[in-house]
């Protein structure tokens, strides 16, 4: 039975729309991964997005539970049922049916479609949910309905959002197989297997922890596909089901070792992690040191360590991918489409870790031998920092020894390292300036940026710094330094937008602002002073000159991100950006090069957004509200309680601190100049807008005019076609001339066999041999050609006793070379061009003697 299909069809027959699995990376910076089927509907549940026409939906959702609120990583391999990635079957009601129908549907599916024996089923309800308890009594004996508290029977997607009490269905696998102390209903053992969770969505939890009743109570259910498959196949462990078994067998083949009772956990970890890493990569998540990329790295390194335990010493994961594709590729085409990319990425990352794992393992083992109660935090940090062992990997290695890491020490070293990295990362300054900046802040406070609404501003010079960031009261004429204005219209480089340039003026020109940067929150502008001194406390007119063109590029970047998501899919996410007055650069995750058609589509979409003249809107909103509006945020960025949201109607809504145009029409036009790869899995688009677009167009027109003049044709395409025709004809002529200048080929016929031995000055020897073979029934041919101090010999034989390989072996030494080949064809090279004629004579003699 195809359970996935059976489930979706069952709920379709109950009026549900089948919807596809959403990407693993949700559009929500507070959520690490899509961790349940309900994630794609979370805003419908809370009412911030209108309900779809059909208030019933069903899906099979790929979920990852690693690194976030729901984290199963550490259990994988140790239990029969935990996975980092799994498929969740679900049915959803958006304010339509509630407990009564949800329970009725679940019961019907379990007992009729899956035909699970009733005597093996148990259910749980929330301790206060009498309503659910009473409904269940219609189906199952009340002694098998258990009440649990919030820990077990209250479900929430994350720390905030939709949530509610839940009711779970359990399958009893029997005490003949599971009889440990933890094998009781609600215990940690595997005997009572939770297969389906019915969540009665009644609340929304806000950031302050309050439970607010939802406008319309809803249903969200989730059934683990892997568990149900295992039950239906009569196996007691998900890893023994057809979903995993072939992968485990393939690992055994690669390792040339059958799994044993002691090390089967390692095989299971690898099989599980292969699925998670392959899917994450296929959806554009890459290996890295923070956020989701670091979770991916931790999963892969955990797999490598288990591979190491069973004997692998070089990358092996890529060789398992075909097996995974055989199992899941039919339903998830992204695995097939991105197969090569996944293989390449897995191998690169494994390679990186295999380089240090040996040293790390010895350090670990050495330390372990000296460890009594607690594993040194310092060594755990060294393992992390020098050998790339994520902390949870070290913890995993200590698990069966019942040891823990000295976390406080580890954290202390980690924080110290972070602080150092931060200090060293100040662009224009260096660590020794820390004190200077702090002093400035103490003396003058943080100076305010007033440039969202102004491009000129009458400001006072609060402080002046020389090039080394030391405070001075005067900057001499013609010198360079930094200026701190009390209120500044100059935007400091941040969020991908480059710092403003401009000028300081009073009734005369005072200096040029070359750049603006942020240092510890201070907005400082770099100034080249004109020909009179600049003094502290002076009042000046600060004038920004490039703002409008930067704003065009920055707004266009937002439109571009939205267009990319429309064309390439929602999993595209920003990986970096740069906006200045002459161009924009946008890096994003996507596993392969965009096609010309896709680039065109994106360009057209952005230009349509521009020509629609959509008004921009900038608001300061509480973060929760911003998220409800669907604002795109950068994952891993820290945002305060209030965030700035820049929107162009509903076309683009982003968290952003930058400066923008008032209306998309101000952008003018948008051209993609280049699409290229930055690193594996990250693409880059460079584009121009506004004045830069005009300059770009002019450049192209100028180049075009030059081409027209060069080819002397106003129609460039037909001109180039004509030139290509001419080249083709000329090439033909050259070939004819060359073939005519070749020495005539001498031939001899002995019996009905043709012998051709010749020195050929020009032409392709192999081709001549082939042509001769086509033209003759019995043939022995050997051709020599001397070119640039080298001799080339090609021989062929067809239906004769002469073996071309032998023949050439005899002849090549005469011209100081060697070679050989098959009986029907052989070639060789030589160095002595003066012996070509000797070789020819010898070849002819050989042919005659051996025919
Ligand atoms: N959201 C619930 C869960 O993940 C039911 O789908 O268990």
């Amino acid at each position: 039975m195809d359970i996935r299909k059976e489930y979706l069809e069952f709920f379709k027959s109950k009026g549900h729309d089948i919807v596809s699995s959403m990407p693993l990376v949700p559009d929500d910076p507070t959520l690490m991964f899509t961790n349940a089927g309900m994630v794609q509907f979370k805003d419908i549940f809370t009412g911030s997005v209108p309900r779809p026409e059909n208030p019933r939906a069903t899906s099979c959702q790929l979920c990852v539970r690693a690194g976030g609120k729901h984290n199963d990583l550490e259990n994988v391999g140790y239990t029969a049922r935990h996975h980092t990635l799994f498929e969740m079957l679900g049915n959803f009601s958006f304010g339509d049916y509630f407990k009564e129908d949800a329970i009725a549907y679940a019961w019907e599916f379990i007992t009729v479609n899956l035909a699970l024996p009733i005597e093996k089923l148990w259910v749980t309800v929330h301790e206060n949910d009498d309503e659910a308890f009473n409904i269940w009594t219609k189906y199952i004996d009340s002694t098998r309905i258990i009440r649990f508290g919030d820990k077990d029977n209250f479900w929430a997607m994350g720390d905030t959002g939709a949530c509610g009490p839940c009711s779970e269905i359990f399958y009893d696998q029997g005490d003949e197989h599971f009889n440990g102390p933890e094998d009781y209903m609600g215990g940690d053992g595997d005997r009572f297997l939770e297969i389906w969770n019915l969540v009665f969505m009644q609340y929304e939890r806000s950031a302050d922890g309050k439970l607010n009743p939802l406008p319309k109570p809803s249903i969200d259910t989730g059934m683990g596909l892997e568990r149900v498959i295992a039950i239906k196949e009569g196996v007691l462990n998900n890893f023994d089901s057809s979903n995993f078994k072939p992968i485990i067998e393939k690992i055994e083949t690669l390792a040339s070792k059958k799994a044993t009772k002691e090390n089967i956990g390692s095989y299971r970890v690898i099989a599980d992690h292969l699925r998670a890493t392959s899917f994450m990569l296929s959806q554009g998540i890459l290996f890295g040191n923070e956020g989701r990329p670091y979770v991916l790295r931790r999963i892969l390194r955990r797999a490598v360590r288990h591979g190491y335990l069973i004997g692998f010493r070089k990358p092996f994961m890529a060789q398992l991918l075909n097996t995974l594709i055989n199992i899941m590729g039919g339903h998830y085409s992204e695995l097939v489409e991105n197969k090569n990319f996944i293989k390449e990425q897995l191998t690169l990352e494994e390679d990186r870790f295999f380089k240090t794992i040996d040293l790390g393992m010895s350090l670990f083992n050495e330390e372990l031998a000296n460890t009594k109660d607690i594993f040194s935090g310092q060594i755990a940090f060294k393992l992390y920092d020098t050998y790339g062992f994520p902390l949870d990997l070290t913890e995993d290695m200590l698990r069966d020894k019942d040891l823990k890491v000295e976390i406080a020490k580890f954290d202390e070293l980690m924080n110290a390292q972070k602080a150092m990295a931060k200090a060293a990362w100040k662009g224009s300054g260096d660590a020794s300036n820390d004190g200077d900046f702090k002093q400035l802040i103490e003396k003058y406070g943080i100076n305010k940026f007033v440039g969202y609404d102004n491009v000129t501003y009458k400001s006072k010079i609060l402080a002046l710094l020389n090039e080394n960031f030391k405070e001075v009261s005067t900057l001499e004429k013609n010198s360079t330094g930094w200026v701190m204005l009390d209120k500044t219209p100059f935007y400091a480089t941040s969020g991908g937008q480059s710092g403003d340039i401009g000028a300081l003026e009073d009734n005369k020109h005072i200096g040029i602002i070359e750049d603006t940067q942020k240092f510890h929150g201070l907005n400082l502008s770099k100034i080249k002073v004109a020909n009179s001194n600049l003094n502290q406390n002076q009042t000046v007119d600060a004038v920004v000159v490039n703002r409008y063109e930067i704003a065009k590029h920055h707004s266009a970047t937002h439109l571009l991100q939205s267009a990319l998501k429309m064309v390439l899919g929602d999993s595209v996410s920003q990986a970096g950006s740069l906006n200045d007055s002459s161009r924009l650069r946008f890096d994003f995750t996507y596993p392969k090069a965009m096609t010309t058609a896709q680039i065109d589509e994106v360009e057209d979409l952005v230009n349509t957004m521009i020509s629609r003249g959509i008004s921009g809107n900038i608001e300061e909103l509480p973060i929760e509200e911003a998220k409800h509006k669907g604002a795109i945020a950068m994952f891993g960025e820290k945002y305060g309680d209030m965030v700035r949201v820049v929107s162009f109607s509903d076309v683009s809504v982003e968290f952003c601190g930058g400066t923008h145009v008032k209306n998309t029409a101000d952008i003018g036009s948008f051209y993609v100049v280049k699409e290229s790869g930055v690193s594996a899995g990250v693409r880059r688009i460079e584009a121009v807008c506004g004045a830069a677009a005009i300059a770009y167009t002019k450049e192209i027109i100028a180049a075009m005019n030059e081409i027209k003049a060069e080819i002397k044709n106003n129609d460039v395409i037909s001109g180039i076609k004509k030139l290509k025709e001419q080249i083709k004809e000329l090439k033909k002529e050259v070939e004819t001339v060359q073939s005519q200048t070749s020495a005539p080929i001498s031939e001899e016929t002995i019996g009905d066999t043709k012998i051709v031995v010749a020195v050929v000055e020009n032409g392709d020897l192999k081709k001549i041999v082939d042509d001769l073979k086509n033209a003759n029934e019995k043939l022995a041919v050997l051709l020599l050609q001397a070119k640039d101090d080298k001799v080339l010999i090609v021989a062929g034989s067809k239906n004769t006793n002469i073996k071309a390989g032998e023949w050439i072996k005899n002849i090549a030494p005469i011209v100081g070379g060697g070679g050989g080949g098959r009986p029907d064809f052989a070639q060789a090279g030589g160095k002595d061009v003066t012996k070509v004629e000797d070789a020819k004579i010898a070849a002819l003699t050989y042919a005659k003697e051996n025919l």
Side-chain angles (χ1 to χ4, degrees):
M1 178 196 292
D2 180 346
I3 295 173
R4 200 192 278 124
K5 197 159 159 233
E6 181 78 19
Y7 184 93
L8 297 175
E9 291 298 330
F10 172 81
F11 279 98
K12 192 174 166 197
S13 77
K14 306 283 183 202
H16 293 63
D17 278 348
I18 301 180
V19 298
S20 13
S21 184
M22 73 173 286
L24 287 173
V25 174
D27 204 355
D28 179 343
T30 61
L31 196 60
M32 187 66 93
F33 296 106
T34 298
N35 58 8
M38 58 75 72
V39 172
Q40 65 172 308
F41 308 116
K42 65 189 166 63
D43 294 334
I44 302 178
F45 285 126
T46 57
S48 58
V49 162
R51 289 196 298 161
E53 217 169 283
N54 182 358
R56 297 176 172 216
T58 182
S59 68
C60 176
Q61 175 67 51
L62 278 175
C63 300
V64 166
R65 288 193 175 176
K69 173 176 158 70
H70 296 270
N71 181 9
D72 289 337
L73 182 59
E74 59 210 33
N75 287 322
V76 174
Y78 300 104
T79 74
R81 61 184 194 284
H82 283 105
H83 302 291
T84 44
L85 173 132
F86 64 98
E87 291 176 87
M88 184 185 276
L89 299 165
N91 55 289
F92 308 90
S93 146
F94 313 120
D96 187 37
Y97 61 85
F98 201 44
K99 296 182 189 177
E100 186 82 50
D101 285 343
I103 291 175
Y105 291 151
W107 190 254
E108 182 183 340
F109 186 76
I110 291 262
T111 56
V112 179
N113 299 63
L114 292 182
L116 297 186
I118 295 176
E119 64 279 9
K120 297 215 163 231
L121 300 175
W122 289 69
V123 295
T124 66
V125 293
H126 189 266
E127 56 193 357
N128 302 329
D129 196 350
D130 294 337
E131 188 190 354
F133 187 96
N134 290 333
I135 300 172
W136 275 119
T137 54
K138 293 187 203 163
Y139 301 100
I140 191 164
D141 194 88
S142 60
T143 53
R144 274 193 279 138
I145 308 172
I146 317 282
R147 290 175 189 258
F148 284 127
D150 282 356
K151 187 177 140 296
D152 294 293
N153 279 63
F154 192 92
W155 199 87
M157 170 197 85
D159 293 335
T160 57
C163 54
C166 60
S167 179
E168 297 180 329
I169 304 175
F170 283 74
Y171 181 80
D172 180 2
Q173 307 199 78
D175 62 356
E176 60 278 29
H177 305 290
F178 300 95
N179 45 23
E182 64 288 343
D183 284 313
Y184 57 93
M185 263 299 291
D188 283 338
D190 286 326
R191 172 174 165 186
F192 293 93
L193 193 58
E194 179 216 321
I195 49 177
W196 203 343
N197 186 10
L198 316 183
V199 182
F200 309 128
M201 285 287 177
Q202 279 171 286
Y203 306 107
E204 177 184 14
R205 199 194 301 271
S206 46
D208 56 10
K210 261 193 21 221
L211 288 178
N212 312 304
L214 286 180
K216 292 197 177 288
S218 297
I219 289 295
D220 149 36
T221 87
M223 168 150 68
L225 178 62
E226 292 76 2
R227 295 180 184 191
V228 183
I229 290 179
I231 293 175
K232 283 304 287 177
E233 289 180 2
V235 293
L236 298 171
N237 189 312
N238 290 1
F239 292 97
D240 292 334
S241 74
S242 56
N243 239 356
F244 291 90
K245 193 90 190 129
I247 305 176
I248 290 182
E249 283 166 1
K250 180 75 186 178
I251 304 170
E252 291 181 324
T253 313
L254 290 180
S256 317
K257 257 184 231 154
K258 285 264 171 230
T260 63
K261 209 163 154 271
E262 285 67 41
N263 69 11
I264 182 75
S266 290
Y267 288 74
R268 290 175 178 164
V269 168
I270 296 170
D272 174 276
H273 292 7
L274 170 75
R275 295 183 358 141
T277 50
S278 301
F279 272 102
M280 286 163 89
L281 285 166
S282 81
Q283 296 198 11
I285 304 169
L286 301 169
F287 294 102
N289 281 334
E290 271 173 59
R292 296 174 182 122
Y294 192 54
V295 177
L296 173 62
R297 171 161 288 165
R298 278 158 52 200
I299 301 177
L300 195 266
R301 293 197 171 194
R302 194 162 178 265
V304 171
R305 185 238 157 187
H306 282 278
Y308 187 88
L309 287 181
I310 58 180
F312 290 111
R313 290 295 177 270
K314 52 184 197 330
F316 57 94
M317 298 282 278
Q319 294 173 69
L320 303 169
L321 193 60
N322 281 348
T323 315
L324 174 62
I325 288 178
N326 286 342
I327 302 169
M328 299 185 82
H331 192 71
Y332 297 100
S333 59
E334 65 251 52
L335 277 187
V336 184
E337 281 153 21
N338 298 312
K339 181 171 143 184
N340 291 338
F341 174 75
I342 302 170
K343 281 189 172 176
E344 174 194 299
Q345 290 300 307
L346 285 174
T347 308
L348 278 175
E349 177 66 10
E350 285 175 86
D351 222 13
R352 269 182 222 127
F353 194 40
F354 268 119
K355 286 207 172 85
T356 55
I357 195 169
D358 258 330
L359 292 170
M361 291 299 279
S362 342
L363 176 65
F364 173 84
N365 288 327
E366 232 168 72
E367 183 58 27
L368 187 64
N370 298 327
T371 302
K372 285 193 196 72
D373 322 312
I374 191 150
F375 189 87
S376 153
Q378 193 154 6
I379 299 295
F381 183 74
K382 185 158 185 195
L383 282 169
Y384 159 81
D385 195 36
T386 314
Y387 301 114
F389 283 53
L391 176 63
D392 57 3
L393 180 56
T394 306
E395 288 174 334
D396 188 45
M397 302 196 299
L398 292 167
R399 183 177 165 135
D400 60 349
K401 320 268 179 311
D402 246 339
L403 283 172
K404 296 226 172 324
V405 174
E406 191 192 357
I407 291 291
K409 183 76 195 170
F410 180 92
D411 284 347
E412 180 195 317
L413 293 168
M414 187 77 168
N415 291 336
Q417 194 204 45
K418 276 196 187 144
M420 260 166 64
K422 211 165 160 191
W425 207 94
K426 283 207 286 86
S428 337
D430 65 39
S432 66
N433 293 130
D434 265 15
D436 298 332
F437 293 124
K438 280 193 191 123
Q439 264 183 21
L440 279 179
I441 295 171
E442 271 164 29
K443 258 168 109 178
Y444 309 109
I446 295 277
N447 59 339
K448 198 170 176 272
F449 171 64
V450 292
Y452 285 134
D453 307 310
N454 307 282
V455 284
T456 58
Y457 204 80
K458 203 167 258 321
S459 313
K460 192 172 104 180
I461 297 178
L462 277 187
L464 292 165
L465 313 178
N466 67 14
E467 279 182 304
N468 300 320
F469 296 94
K470 297 282 175 237
E471 193 180 356
V472 290
S473 54
T474 300
L475 273 181
E476 302 281 326
K477 59 183 177 185
N478 300 326
S479 69
T480 308
W482 294 82
V483 57
M484 173 180 177
L485 300 173
D486 61 342
K487 291 186 178 144
T488 177
F490 297 112
Y491 183 89
T493 302
S494 62
Q497 180 175 327
S498 60
D500 277 339
I501 58 170
L504 295 190
E505 296 168 354
D506 45 15
N507 46 10
K508 58 182 189 311
H509 174 63
I510 303 177
I512 294 173
I513 298 295
E514 296 179 331
D515 188 15
T516 305
Q517 300 264 351
K518 247 192 182 92
F519 296 89
H520 291 259
L522 290 173
N523 294 293
L524 301 184
S525 294
K526 189 169 187 201
I527 185 162
K528 171 113 180 59
V529 185
N531 47 12
S532 55
N533 292 353
L534 188 61
N535 297 313
Q536 191 177 14
N537 294 329
Q538 200 172 326
T539 303
V540 293
D541 289 317
V543 183
V544 183
V545 298
N546 57 344
R547 166 64 54 74
Y548 204 38
E549 293 306 318
I550 296 183
K552 289 179 191 173
H553 285 107
H554 199 160
S555 300
T557 297
H558 285 207
L559 304 184
L560 170 62
Q561 164 146 235
S562 136
L564 283 169
K565 282 183 188 277
M566 289 181 203
V567 175
L568 305 178
D570 264 342
S571 61
V572 162
S573 69
Q574 178 167 354
S577 73
L578 177 97
N579 301 290
D580 65 24
S581 55
S582 61
R583 70 197 166 126
L584 68 87
R585 201 173 78 193
F586 185 71
D587 296 347
F588 57 99
T589 55
Y590 191 63
K592 52 185 182 236
M594 287 173 72
T595 62
T596 316
Q598 286 171 328
I599 298 173
D600 275 352
E601 201 181 336
V602 165
E603 195 177 69
D604 289 349
L605 271 169
V606 174
N607 279 311
T608 308
M609 296 170 191
I610 293 172
S611 59
R612 274 175 55 198
I614 308 165
S615 305
N617 185 26
I618 295 178
E619 307 166 278
E620 290 271 335
L621 293 177
I623 186 152
E624 280 311 310
E625 205 176 311
K627 275 192 249 139
H628 279 162
K629 282 186 78 130
I632 303 179
M634 290 271 279
F635 184 78
E637 280 281 316
K638 291 270 173 291
Y639 295 98
D641 293 340
M642 292 295 285
V643 289
R644 191 166 179 269
V645 176
V646 176
S647 20
F648 292 100
S649 156
D650 54 356
V651 167
S652 152
V653 187
E654 286 193 33
F655 289 34
C656 179
T659 60
H660 287 272
V661 296
K662 296 210 161 32
N663 185 298
T664 56
D666 299 343
I667 300 170
S669 57
F670 168 90
Y671 293 114
V672 174
V673 176
K674 195 171 164 196
E675 192 272 352
S676 57
V678 182
S679 59
V682 178
R683 309 294 307 172
R684 167 170 293 172
I685 282 193
E686 289 164 72
V688 285
C689 305
I694 296 173
Y696 176 66
T697 324
K698 280 192 158 171
E699 238 176 63
I700 293 179
I701 294 172
M704 196 60 98
N705 286 336
E706 224 176 293
I707 297 172
K708 285 178 190 169
E710 272 307 317
I711 63 172
K712 297 198 175 51
N713 193 331
N714 267 341
D715 182 343
V716 174
I717 305 289
S718 90
I720 289 180
K721 278 188 181 152
K722 266 190 202 146
L723 284 177
K724 278 169 106 180
E725 272 308 310
Q726 278 175 13
I727 292 173
K728 217 162 132 192
E729 272 162 27
L730 288 172
K731 263 192 183 159
K732 256 196 214 146
E733 268 175 42
V734 170
E735 271 168 22
T736 324
V737 173
Q738 276 179 345
S739 63
Q740 282 162 0
T741 55
S742 278
I745 288 177
S746 57
E747 322 178 339
E748 237 177 87
T749 307
I750 299 182
D752 52 0
T753 302
K754 181 167 284 177
I755 302 178
V756 180
V757 172
V759 177
V760 181
E761 275 171 33
N762 288 304
D764 179 350
L765 296 193
K766 269 195 236 163
K767 189 169 175 306
I768 302 175
V769 169
D770 282 345
D771 290 348
L772 282 168
K773 272 185 172 174
N774 286 337
N776 295 285
E777 257 324 291
K778 290 183 164 202
L779 170 80
V781 49
L782 186 144
L783 305 177
L784 299 126
Q785 193 170 59
K787 237 186 204 159
D788 306 332
D789 296 335
K790 286 205 184 77
V791 183
L792 177 66
I793 317 176
V794 176
S797 169
K798 183 176 168 190
N799 300 329
T800 78
N801 289 332
I802 293 178
K803 294 193 170 58
E806 288 302 315
W807 195 8
I808 222 161
K809 229 189 253 167
N810 267 278
I811 302 309
I814 302 172
V815 289
R822 304 189 311 252
D824 62 332
F825 181 84
Q827 58 183 342
K831 292 188 274 295
D832 192 348
V833 286
T834 61
K835 296 277 166 39
V836 168
E837 278 304 320
D838 295 353
K840 179 178 136 185
I841 293 163
L844 196 59
T845 314
Y846 179 97
K848 287 181 180 159
E849 280 169 6
N850 292 281
L851 200 61

